[in-house]
Amino acid sequence: MKIYSGDTWTLEELQEKVADAGRRSLVVPAADSRKAVLEAFGEVLDFPEHYGVNLDALNDSLHDFADSITDNGNPPVTVLWLVAAPFRSDRSFGIMCEILQDAERYAGKDLAVTAVLL
């Protein structure tokens, strides 16, 4: 997982960089609470209706999402996660980073995550 400062790279610059690498980008918008962040991931990555909006469900759903990338022959995906400053002080931020890194390892080259610190 890469981490960039929003002061260094704009979202548009990062999206261009992702496209130049032949990848699709999906943008997870900034949110201030764990629940709101989990909901944003569920919406952007089109998690199933039964998505539990908790850290375990995020882990499971990310693995299913990674499988769907390779199963459908789609181009690799880079998730651009906009991280609001208030959420970075929440202890779930670190846990979510670990879950996202695990999903990257699981998916190999098909899934990359970039956190953009706002």
Side-chain angles (χ1 to χ4, degrees):
M1 184 168 101
K2 294 179 181 174
I3 299 176
Y4 292 110
S5 168
D7 295 334
T8 306
W9 292 88
T10 67
L11 178 59
E12 293 77 20
E13 289 170 330
L14 288 171
Q15 286 176 307
E16 185 177 315
K17 186 175 179 174
V18 168
D20 289 347
R23 303 177 69 87
R24 309 184 275 146
S25 63
L26 297 173
V27 179
V28 177
D32 290 343
S33 70
R34 176 177 57 183
K35 183 175 189 248
V37 170
L38 290 167
E39 287 171 347
F41 268 95
E43 289 173 28
V44 171
L45 302 183
D46 198 26
F47 288 166
E49 197 170 302
H50 65 272
Y51 171 58
V53 191
N54 61 54
L55 295 171
D56 287 333
L58 175 66
N59 184 57
D60 294 343
S61 295
L62 280 169
H63 285 179
D64 292 343
F65 177 76
D67 288 339
S68 75
I69 296 168
T70 56
D71 291 347
N72 295 332
N74 292 320
V77 173
T78 297
V79 174
L80 299 171
W81 175 28
L82 306 180
V83 185
F87 182 68
R88 290 197 317 263
S89 63
D90 188 302
R91 86 179 184 106
S92 3
F93 171 66
I95 297 168
M96 287 187 71
C97 288
E98 290 176 13
I99 290 170
L100 292 165
Q101 289 170 334
D102 178 63
E104 282 183 317
R105 282 189 297 274
Y106 175 80
K109 65 177 176 47
D110 292 321
L111 177 65
V113 178
T114 299
V116 183
L117 306 180
L118 302 176

mmCIF file of all heavy atoms in Angstrom, residues 6 12 20 30 36 43 54 60-61 71 77 80 89 94 112 117:
data_model
loop_
_atom_site.group_PDB
_atom_site.id
_atom_site.type_symbol
_atom_site.label_atom_id
_atom_site.label_comp_id
_atom_site.label_asym_id
_atom_site.label_seq_id
_atom_site.Cartn_x
_atom_site.Cartn_y
_atom_site.Cartn_z
ATOM 1 N N GLY A 6 -2.056 14.513 0.350
ATOM 2 C CA GLY A 6 -2.883 15.278 -0.566
ATOM 3 C C GLY A 6 -2.265 16.618 -0.916
ATOM 4 O O GLY A 6 -2.670 17.253 -1.885
ATOM 5 N N GLU A 12 -6.526 14.083 -9.263
ATOM 6 C CA GLU A 12 -6.460 14.002 -10.721
ATOM 7 C C GLU A 12 -5.091 13.516 -11.194
ATOM 8 O O GLU A 12 -4.991 12.706 -12.124
ATOM 9 C CB GLU A 12 -6.790 15.365 -11.352
ATOM 10 C CG GLU A 12 -8.227 15.803 -11.160
ATOM 11 C CD GLU A 12 -8.529 16.339 -9.749
ATOM 12 O OE1 GLU A 12 -7.587 16.730 -9.005
ATOM 13 O OE2 GLU A 12 -9.716 16.339 -9.376
ATOM 14 N N ASP A 20 -2.119 5.801 -16.779
ATOM 15 C CA ASP A 20 -0.902 5.631 -17.581
ATOM 16 C C ASP A 20 -0.273 4.255 -17.373
ATOM 17 O O ASP A 20 0.413 3.745 -18.257
ATOM 18 C CB ASP A 20 0.120 6.720 -17.257
ATOM 19 C CG ASP A 20 -0.285 8.089 -17.786
ATOM 20 O OD1 ASP A 20 -1.229 8.173 -18.605
ATOM 21 O OD2 ASP A 20 0.334 9.095 -17.354
ATOM 22 N N ALA A 30 -13.444 10.468 1.233
ATOM 23 C CA ALA A 30 -13.076 10.681 2.634
ATOM 24 C C ALA A 30 -14.308 10.601 3.531
ATOM 25 O O ALA A 30 -15.404 10.983 3.135
ATOM 26 C CB ALA A 30 -12.412 12.042 2.791
ATOM 27 N N ALA A 36 -18.563 5.157 8.504
ATOM 28 C CA ALA A 36 -18.690 5.872 7.236
ATOM 29 C C ALA A 36 -17.631 5.422 6.226
ATOM 30 O O ALA A 36 -17.914 5.284 5.028
ATOM 31 C CB ALA A 36 -18.613 7.372 7.459
ATOM 32 N N GLU A 43 -19.782 0.807 -0.947
ATOM 33 C CA GLU A 43 -20.446 1.432 -2.091
ATOM 34 C C GLU A 43 -19.549 1.475 -3.319
ATOM 35 O O GLU A 43 -19.950 1.082 -4.416
ATOM 36 C CB GLU A 43 -20.896 2.843 -1.730
ATOM 37 C CG GLU A 43 -22.065 2.878 -0.763
ATOM 38 C CD GLU A 43 -22.390 4.292 -0.297
ATOM 39 O OE1 GLU A 43 -22.116 5.252 -1.059
ATOM 40 O OE2 GLU A 43 -22.912 4.427 0.822
ATOM 41 N N ASN A 54 -18.348 -3.992 8.856
ATOM 42 C CA ASN A 54 -17.420 -4.122 9.976
ATOM 43 C C ASN A 54 -16.072 -4.567 9.406
ATOM 44 O O ASN A 54 -15.960 -4.860 8.211
ATOM 45 C CB ASN A 54 -17.958 -5.087 11.047
ATOM 46 C CG ASN A 54 -18.180 -6.479 10.525
ATOM 47 O OD1 ASN A 54 -17.286 -7.100 9.966
ATOM 48 N ND2 ASN A 54 -19.395 -6.992 10.684
ATOM 49 N N ASP A 60 -13.200 -9.906 4.233
ATOM 50 C CA ASP A 60 -13.795 -10.937 3.384
ATOM 51 C C ASP A 60 -14.213 -10.369 2.032
ATOM 52 O O ASP A 60 -13.960 -10.974 0.982
ATOM 53 C CB ASP A 60 -15.017 -11.564 4.069
ATOM 54 C CG ASP A 60 -14.654 -12.354 5.320
ATOM 55 O OD1 ASP A 60 -13.465 -12.706 5.498
ATOM 56 O OD2 ASP A 60 -15.563 -12.605 6.133
ATOM 57 N N SER A 61 -14.850 -9.215 2.048
ATOM 58 C CA SER A 61 -15.351 -8.621 0.814
ATOM 59 C C SER A 61 -14.224 -8.161 -0.100
ATOM 60 O O SER A 61 -14.339 -8.238 -1.328
ATOM 61 C CB SER A 61 -16.293 -7.462 1.124
ATOM 62 O OG SER A 61 -17.444 -7.933 1.788
ATOM 63 N N ASP A 71 -11.219 -13.047 -12.186
ATOM 64 C CA ASP A 71 -12.211 -13.916 -12.804
ATOM 65 C C ASP A 71 -12.833 -13.287 -14.042
ATOM 66 O O ASP A 71 -13.171 -13.981 -14.989
ATOM 67 C CB ASP A 71 -13.325 -14.278 -11.809
ATOM 68 C CG ASP A 71 -12.850 -15.191 -10.698
ATOM 69 O OD1 ASP A 71 -11.735 -15.741 -10.821
ATOM 70 O OD2 ASP A 71 -13.578 -15.345 -9.706
ATOM 71 N N VAL A 77 -6.786 -3.029 -10.799
ATOM 72 C CA VAL A 77 -7.452 -1.908 -10.138
ATOM 73 C C VAL A 77 -6.520 -1.286 -9.103
ATOM 74 O O VAL A 77 -5.827 -1.990 -8.371
ATOM 75 C CB VAL A 77 -8.739 -2.388 -9.420
ATOM 76 C CG1 VAL A 77 -9.357 -1.285 -8.586
ATOM 77 C CG2 VAL A 77 -9.747 -2.929 -10.418
ATOM 78 N N LEU A 80 -7.987 4.297 -4.798
ATOM 79 C CA LEU A 80 -7.473 5.542 -4.235
ATOM 80 C C LEU A 80 -8.381 5.910 -3.069
ATOM 81 O O LEU A 80 -9.525 6.307 -3.259
ATOM 82 C CB LEU A 80 -7.481 6.648 -5.297
ATOM 83 C CG LEU A 80 -6.610 6.384 -6.525
ATOM 84 C CD1 LEU A 80 -6.865 7.432 -7.598
ATOM 85 C CD2 LEU A 80 -5.139 6.344 -6.150
ATOM 86 N N SER A 89 -6.655 9.463 13.250
ATOM 87 C CA SER A 89 -6.402 9.306 14.684
ATOM 88 C C SER A 89 -7.253 8.189 15.301
ATOM 89 O O SER A 89 -7.043 7.818 16.455
ATOM 90 C CB SER A 89 -6.651 10.623 15.419
ATOM 91 O OG SER A 89 -8.000 10.999 15.308
ATOM 92 N N GLY A 94 -5.283 2.117 11.444
ATOM 93 C CA GLY A 94 -4.171 1.167 11.317
ATOM 94 C C GLY A 94 -4.647 -0.236 10.974
ATOM 95 O O GLY A 94 -4.029 -0.928 10.159
ATOM 96 N N ALA A 112 -4.141 -2.787 -6.143
ATOM 97 C CA ALA A 112 -3.226 -1.921 -5.410
ATOM 98 C C ALA A 112 -4.068 -0.890 -4.681
ATOM 99 O O ALA A 112 -5.156 -0.530 -5.121
ATOM 100 C CB ALA A 112 -2.259 -1.224 -6.366
ATOM 101 N N LEU A 117 -3.624 11.019 2.122
ATOM 102 C CA LEU A 117 -3.895 11.674 3.401
ATOM 103 C C LEU A 117 -4.275 13.130 3.165
ATOM 104 O O LEU A 117 -3.513 13.898 2.605
ATOM 105 C CB LEU A 117 -2.659 11.576 4.303
ATOM 106 C CG LEU A 117 -2.102 10.173 4.522
ATOM 107 C CD1 LEU A 117 -0.890 10.235 5.434
ATOM 108 C CD2 LEU A 117 -3.157 9.234 5.075
#
